[in-house]
Amino acid sequence: MTQEQWGELKQQIRQAVGQNKFRNWIEPLEFAEVSDGVATLSVPTRFIGNYVAQHFGDLILYKMSQLDSAVRKLDFRVAVNGADTPQASKPAPARAARSDNPLHSAPLDDRFRFDSFVVGKPNQLAHAAARRVAEGGETTFNPLFLYGGVGLGKTHLMHAIAWDLVEQQPDMTVLYLSAEQFMYRFVQALRDRKIMDFKQMFRSVDVLMVDDVQFIAGKDSTQEEFFHTFNALVDQNKQIVISADCAPGEIARLEDRIKSRLQCGLVVDLHPTDYELRLGVLQNRAERYREAQPDLTIEDGVLEFLAHRINTNVRVLEGALTRLFAFASLVGKPISQELTQDCLSDMLRSYERKLSVEEIKRKVADHYNIRLSDLVGPRRTRCYARPRQMAMYLCKQLTSRSLPEIGRSFGGRDHTTVMHGVKKIDELRQKDAQIADDLELLRRSLEA
């Protein structure tokens, strides 16, 4: 297979999967070689390779085998200069977007780039929208408003957009700052009687990015100036990117006219992390730590354990992993589940699940519209057996109950029956989208 054929094949895949999935997952792939029936594809990170293999592997293999009948298997390898390499894994200090920028843009963190942003179902739309703005051309939405809870990736995406813009289009004037910095500069301009200079400076940018805009709520003069700045830039077709911790209409004490302006563009919610996204983040960060500390080993199941137990946000997950690697390095031991529980005992206690087996059974029975007695009863038809296995799986993941205890609560079943049910659902969720969606819906409902 030639590079030209690979390029044509990618366009066929684009038509099959759609533009957004293509840009996020297929476009970064590079064809390396075909040897002994194995087609090797280069990927930027291990996480992308795993995701593509799981979700698009069959499609790629089928398309390749049509061009070259000798291709029987795919192999995904991290590129030498990919995000998982040691050079990329060393965090660089924060620095300004342009040292000669008279607007004094806030420093950008070199760790916060698109390459290091782990994409999953909860943040897929936000990532795609941010990528579109980072291309620098005219968009169909202005402003782009990103909102979500703490540690879900808003600031990461803001920095990533700014990095791409200033590096790919150095002549473009990009101003990134927090709402607090906007307010401070406005107050300083009032104090120094330089308000016209302030207005001229902010109206001369090509892209204005304001992080945590909720902090200007209740500051009447600052809101007034922000409103006029916003209107002036939109009238000039200049791009605006805003982030906040909640949707525009939910920001208390923010003027209605500003809420209206913020809602006229694309408003994107970064949803709470799901299990797959948390695991992807942990795998991505663990690879980087292992590059920096190759002598440390991490046993199977540890990352999965953390992804289940710590279910809040990415920042907490990264902090837990940093602490875990530092502890293992100091004591000179491999990272096992026992060491993880010792090192993170206080953190794990704070996230101890308080769900009961009975609550999970009732929720699953209601979801599938069956009686609770049938869920735990002896009937083995699929309409009862599959919900029963789903309930067993959720009990195993969301409670601290042992397998024998779970089995007893399901009509006195043996622990091996529970093991089989958990394994079955774990296999099905990988290939059955309906099972995966049901699990995520039930999990969110139970954890709410």
Side-chain angles (χ1 to χ4, degrees):
M1 176 176 289
T2 65
Q3 292 293 341
E4 183 177 352
Q5 288 176 315
W6 169 244
E8 294 173 356
L9 187 147
K10 287 175 76 173
Q11 296 310 310
Q12 295 176 21
I13 297 174
R14 182 208 295 264
Q15 295 176 358
V17 304
Q19 180 61 29
N20 287 339
K21 290 181 180 178
F22 175 84
R23 180 182 294 136
N24 292 335
W25 303 109
I26 307 300
E27 195 170 34
L29 305 181
E30 297 292 339
F31 173 71
E33 63 177 358
V34 174
S35 177
D36 296 329
V38 179
T40 301
L41 299 177
S42 176
V43 295
T45 68
R46 187 181 301 276
F47 175 72
I48 290 180
N50 291 339
Y51 189 94
V52 171
Q54 180 179 340
H55 293 84
F56 307 109
D58 291 341
L59 174 62
I60 296 172
L61 183 59
Y62 171 74
K63 294 288 186 183
M64 276 193 166
S65 62
Q66 286 185 313
L67 292 175
D68 186 350
S69 59
V71 177
R72 300 184 304 274
K73 185 179 178 182
L74 297 180
D75 182 29
F76 296 88
R77 295 184 183 176
V78 178
V80 175
N81 61 343
D84 282 353
T85 58
Q87 292 86 346
S89 66
K90 297 176 182 177
R95 58 189 183 190
R98 292 173 63 188
S99 58
D100 59 341
N101 189 350
L103 296 174
H104 303 295
S105 182
L108 299 177
D109 195 321
D110 201 39
R111 297 171 300 172
F112 293 163
R113 294 177 179 264
F114 284 117
D115 286 344
S116 59
F117 188 84
V118 179
V119 183
K121 196 171 182 179
N123 60 24
Q124 190 173 26
L125 176 58
H127 176 264
R131 278 282 198 184
R132 179 66 186 86
V133 171
E135 293 173 0
E138 187 174 344
T139 63
T140 57
F141 48 85
N142 194 20
L144 170 61
F145 189 98
L146 305 172
Y147 76 95
V150 175
L152 298 182
K154 303 186 300 295
T155 298
H156 191 142
L157 286 176
M158 297 276 282
H159 282 238
I161 292 171
W163 274 122
D164 269 26
L165 289 172
V166 299
E167 290 181 346
Q168 296 176 18
Q169 303 185 52
D171 294 334
M172 180 176 284
T173 305
V174 179
L175 178 58
Y176 166 79
L177 73 171
S178 67
E180 183 182 17
Q181 290 168 322
F182 179 90
M183 181 178 64
Y184 171 76
R185 294 187 189 187
F186 175 65
V187 171
Q188 189 175 41
L190 286 175
R191 186 187 62 200
D192 297 340
R193 298 183 180 179
K194 294 182 178 180
I195 193 63
M196 293 309 298
D197 292 341
F198 174 90
K199 291 177 180 289
Q200 179 61 32
M201 178 177 69
F202 274 85
R203 285 157 176 72
S204 66
V205 302
D206 295 307
V207 180
L208 175 63
M209 309 178 71
V210 181
D211 208 355
D212 290 323
V213 76
Q214 71 271 8
F215 288 121
I216 70 169
K219 282 77 171 181
D220 293 340
S221 298
T222 304
Q223 288 191 75
E224 177 84 15
E225 184 54 39
F226 179 81
F227 174 78
H228 292 304
T229 298
F230 183 99
N231 285 340
L233 290 174
V234 170
D235 289 343
Q236 300 174 59
N237 292 320
K238 302 298 178 65
Q239 183 68 49
I240 300 175
V241 184
I242 307 290
S243 80
D245 59 2
C246 58
E250 298 173 358
I251 302 177
R253 301 175 65 195
L254 188 67
E255 292 181 4
D256 289 340
R257 58 179 179 172
I258 297 180
K259 292 180 181 180
S260 176
R261 294 299 191 280
L262 294 177
Q263 290 172 320
C264 71
L266 177 61
V267 179
V268 183
D269 178 11
L270 281 86
H271 297 286
T273 58
D274 58 16
Y275 169 75
E276 285 74 18
L277 180 57
R278 293 195 297 271
L279 182 58
V281 168
L282 288 170
Q283 289 172 337
N284 184 284
R285 301 299 183 265
E287 284 297 320
R288 298 186 176 202
Y289 281 120
R290 279 191 285 222
E291 292 287 355
Q293 303 178 59
D295 295 335
L296 282 180
T297 59
I298 182 166
E299 295 182 1
D300 293 341
V302 170
L303 298 183
E304 290 80 359
F305 171 76
L306 288 177
H308 276 303
R309 292 295 299 271
I310 301 177
N311 54 12
T312 50
N313 63 65
V314 173
R315 199 168 293 153
V316 174
L317 277 175
E318 290 178 338
L321 201 60
T322 299
R323 181 170 159 186
L324 188 57
F325 269 85
F327 182 79
S329 176
L330 290 171
V331 300
K333 293 181 178 180
I335 301 176
S336 63
Q337 190 155 320
E338 182 180 358
L339 183 139
T340 300
Q341 290 175 322
D342 288 342
C343 173
L344 305 176
S345 58
D346 58 330
M347 184 177 291
L348 294 174
R349 276 197 302 271
S350 67
Y351 292 101
E352 187 69 35
R353 297 183 178 89
K354 298 178 176 60
L355 286 171
S356 69
V357 171
E358 292 303 317
E359 183 181 357
I360 293 172
K361 290 192 297 187
R362 284 196 300 271
K363 184 69 71 173
V364 172
D366 289 343
H367 179 80
Y368 287 102
N369 196 27
I370 62 176
R371 293 180 301 179
L372 186 60
S373 59
D374 289 327
L375 183 74
V376 301
R379 302 176 70 177
R380 296 186 178 182
T381 53
R382 174 165 293 194
C383 63
Y384 301 118
R386 190 68 76 231
R388 186 181 301 133
Q389 291 173 334
M390 293 278 281
M392 290 177 176
Y393 179 88
L394 289 168
C395 288
K396 176 67 172 62
Q397 302 299 334
L398 301 180
T399 75
S400 57
R401 298 295 182 183
S402 65
L403 294 178
E405 288 176 319
I406 295 173
R408 284 193 294 271
S409 69
F410 281 83
R413 284 176 166 83
D414 189 77
H415 73 281
T416 56
T417 303
V418 180
M419 287 176 60
H420 171 75
V422 170
K423 183 179 179 181
K424 184 66 176 178
I425 295 300
D426 197 37
E427 292 172 353
L428 286 174
R429 72 182 182 85
Q430 303 291 338
K431 53 188 179 183
D432 190 323
Q434 185 60 55
I435 291 290
D437 289 345
D438 283 352
L439 273 177
E440 185 59 28
L441 183 63
L442 284 165
R443 186 193 303 276
R444 288 192 182 188
S445 176
L446 287 163
E447 291 179 345

